[in-house]
C-alpha cells in the first residue's frame, strides 16, 4: 500500500515563530506534492504544491522544501500567526492521476 | 460559482440502512473523487471518476458505490451502512489537462452509523 508519513502529529508554536511539518513518501512514481490546510468544519484547501524538478518553492510565508533522494518534503510556515492554526495534510500523486495519497495530518496551534 | 457542494451536512443512519451522499460541482471539472476522513488517518480515497461514465476504485471502496452520469454530479451510495462507515466524507473535483492537479474540496458530510 502506498503511504505518506507525516510528522509531528501536533505542533504548538508561539506567534511569530517558525512551524515545520515533515512528510516522507515511498512511491518514486509520485511527482506532485501538495500541502492542504483544513480549518474545523471545513474541507481541505490547497495551500502550496511542488514538483520534483525544484528543491524549494516559496509563496508568501509558506515554503516547501523537497529532497528527492531522501523522498522527503516539508513545509515551513514563517512568522506563524494564530490564524494559521489548522490541520495540515501533505499528499502525493502522479501528475496525471487522481489517486492522491494523504498523510495523517498535523494539528498546528499558534499561540498569541 | 458555488464550487463543490455536498448534501446533507449531517446524517445519522441505523446499521443496514442505505443512503446516497450528493456531490455537485459547477466548475466543469473532469475529475471528481470521494474521500473519507477519520481521526489520525488523513483522507482516504474511496472512489474516483475521470469523466462522465467512467469510475474507478480507490483505497477503501468496499461498501460504497458510485456513478457519474453527468460532469456535474458524483453521488456516493452506501448500500448497507455499518458502524465502521461512521466518518466525515469529502467530495473533491479537479480539472484535467496541463500539470495542474489542484483538488477543490466540498464542505463535507458528517455521517454517524448507529
Amino acid at each position: 500500500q502506498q503511504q505518506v508519513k507525516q510528522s509531528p502529529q501536533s505542533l504548538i508554536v508561539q506567534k511569530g515563530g517558525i512551524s515545520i511539518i515533515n512528510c516522507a513518501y515511498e512511491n518514486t512514481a509520485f511527482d506532485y506534492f501538495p500541502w492542504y490546510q483544513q480549518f474545523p468544519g471545513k474541507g481541505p484547501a490547497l495551500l502550496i504544491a511542488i514538483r520534483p524538478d525544484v528543491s524549494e518553492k516559496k509563496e508568501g510565508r509558506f515554503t516547501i522544501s523537497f529532497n528527492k533522494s531522501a523522498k522527503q518534503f516539508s513545509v515551513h510556515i514563517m512568522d506563524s500567526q494564530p490564524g494559521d492554526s489548522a490541520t495540515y495534510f501533505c499528499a502525493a500523486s502522479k501528475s496525471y492521476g487522481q489517486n492522491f495519497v494523504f498523510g495523517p495530518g498535523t494539528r498546528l496551534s499558534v499561540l498569541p | 460559482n458555488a464550487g463543490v457542494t455536498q448534501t446533507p451536512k449531517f446524517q445519522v443512519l441505523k446499521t443496514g440502512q442505505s443512503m446516497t451522499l450528493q456531490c455537485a460541482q459547477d466548475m466543469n471539472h473532469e475529475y471528481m473523487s470521494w474521500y473519507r476522513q477519520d481521526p489520525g488517518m488523513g483522507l482516504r480515497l474511496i472512489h474516483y471518476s475521470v469523466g462522465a461514465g467512467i469510475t474507478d476504485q480507490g483505497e477503501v471502496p468496499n461498501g460504497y458505490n458510485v456513478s457519474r452520469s453527468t460532469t456535474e454530479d458524483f453521488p456516493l451510495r452506501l448500500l448497507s451502512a455499518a458502524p465502521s462507515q461512521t466518518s466525515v466524507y469529502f467530495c473533491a473535483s479537479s480539472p484535467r489537462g496541463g500539470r495542474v492537479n489542484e483538488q477543490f474540496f466540498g464542505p463535507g458530510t458528517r455521517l454517524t452509523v448507529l
Side-chain angles (χ1 to χ4, degrees):
Chain A
Q1 178 176 335
Q2 301 171 347
Q3 284 189 327
V4 174
K5 299 179 180 179
Q6 183 173 347
S7 63
Q9 192 173 34
S10 63
L11 182 61
I12 300 175
V13 175
Q14 293 286 339
K15 178 182 176 181
I18 302 174
S19 304
I20 302 173
I21 306 172
N22 301 296
C23 282
Y25 63 98
E26 299 175 355
N27 189 341
T28 54
F30 289 147
D31 62 357
Y32 177 73
F33 303 91
W35 284 90
Y36 282 83
Q37 180 187 55
Q38 184 181 30
F39 293 104
K42 304 292 186 183
L46 180 68
L47 187 65
I48 188 172
I50 197 169
R51 296 188 186 274
D53 50 356
V54 297
S55 60
E56 187 174 283
K57 181 177 181 181
K58 183 177 180 180
E59 290 184 0
R61 295 185 293 109
F62 301 89
T63 300
I64 291 184
S65 298
F66 185 82
N67 186 329
K68 187 174 182 179
S69 61
K71 293 189 287 185
Q72 295 175 348
F73 58 110
S74 61
V75 67
H76 291 57
I77 306 174
M78 312 300 288
D79 188 26
S80 298
Q81 299 296 312
D84 297 330
S85 297
T87 300
Y88 292 81
F89 295 96
C90 61
S93 76
K94 302 173 187 177
S95 286
Y96 300 101
Q98 287 299 299
N99 274 3
F100 283 79
V101 181
F102 283 80
T106 296
R107 179 171 290 185
L108 171 65
S109 297
V110 181
L111 304 179
Chain B
N1 286 353
V4 179
T5 58
Q6 292 183 238
T7 56
K9 288 185 69 70
F10 302 94
Q11 183 70 49
V12 178
L13 292 178
K14 295 181 179 179
T15 297
Q17 288 185 315
S18 63
M19 80 159 293
T20 298
L21 279 63
Q22 303 291 343
C23 174
Q25 53 92 9
D26 61 359
M27 298 173 282
N28 202 32
H29 286 169
E30 293 275 0
Y31 293 145
M32 296 186 74
S33 306
W34 275 103
Y35 294 86
R36 59 177 289 172
Q37 183 176 32
D38 302 292
M41 301 188 72
L43 293 95
R44 292 182 292 168
L45 183 65
I46 303 172
H47 286 283
Y48 65 98
S49 169
V50 299
I54 306 170
T55 63
D56 206 346
Q57 296 181 350
E59 180 185 352
V60 288
N62 293 341
Y64 308 95
N65 271 1
V66 292
S67 59
R68 184 96 179 270
S69 56
T70 66
T71 298
E72 294 77 21
D73 300 298
F74 191 43
L76 178 72
R77 298 182 187 84
L78 279 70
L79 308 174
S80 178
S84 61
Q85 293 178 304
T86 293
S87 187
V88 181
Y89 291 85
F90 289 100
C91 178
S93 73
S94 60
R96 187 169 73 165
R99 301 185 71 205
V100 176
N101 268 46
E102 178 177 0
Q103 291 196 98
F104 295 82
F105 284 83
T109 294
R110 183 175 294 273
L111 175 68
T112 302
V113 182
L114 303 176

